Amino acid sequence: MSYHLSKMVGLGFDAAVDATIAALQAEGFGVLTDIDVAATMHKKLGVAFRPYRILGACNPRMAHEALKLEDKVGTMLPCNVVVQQHDDGSVEVSAIDPVTSMQGIDNPELARLAGTVRDMLRSVVNRIA
């Protein structure tokens, strides 16, 4: 089982980031964090890295339900979505598969909720051109 939902997109990097944020919003997610990995690697290590952004996405309703089911599930939130440009110039969008990430928690209700969130994130990835 894969730990991510991924798709190559026919957009430039910046357009893919914008489209990903819009798709997240359309599914009820907000972006709580936006980490520019290339800028961070340059600043902290002085190394060049390809365009790579980590968007920390949260659907408040789903997060609230998860926290009611498991008080420590916050260690696994928010749901990360990555937009990256590969060396050949192609751009890929990847979202965490919450079903896979929650397998270590023995709670059938949380597993059900994770399945709902996976469907929402799959819809996000599929929305992007």
Side-chain angles (χ1 to χ4, degrees):
M1 176 181 277
S2 180
Y3 62 93
H4 57 90
L5 311 164
S6 295
K7 177 182 177 183
M8 301 303 288
V9 297
L11 299 170
F13 180 77
D14 291 333
V17 170
D18 291 343
T20 301
I21 292 169
L24 285 163
Q25 290 172 340
E27 285 292 328
F29 290 87
V31 176
L32 301 177
T33 60
D34 183 349
I35 302 168
D36 183 336
V37 174
T40 301
M41 295 292 177
H42 182 264
K43 180 179 178 182
K44 300 290 184 178
L45 301 175
V47 299
F49 195 77
R50 69 186 183 277
Y52 193 109
R53 299 261 292 273
I54 303 171
L55 305 174
C58 180
N59 179 298
R61 187 173 52 84
M62 295 289 124
H64 181 244
E65 290 300 316
L67 289 165
K68 288 191 311 186
L69 293 169
E70 290 286 336
D71 69 336
K72 292 168 193 64
V73 77
T75 61
M76 303 171 98
L77 302 176
C79 295
N80 285 330
V81 180
V82 170
V83 180
Q84 64 175 309
Q85 182 175 309
H86 294 283
D87 292 338
D88 65 1
S90 63
V91 176
E92 182 177 26
V93 176
S94 303
I96 185 71
D97 180 345
V99 171
T100 302
S101 67
M102 300 291 170
Q103 283 182 340
I105 303 172
D106 185 23
N107 183 325
E109 286 301 307
L110 185 63
R112 180 198 55 74
L113 184 64
T116 300
V117 175
R118 175 176 54 191
D119 292 344
M120 295 167 75
L121 289 172
R122 183 178 289 127
S123 179
V124 165
V125 171
N126 287 338
R127 282 179 190 263
I128 302 164

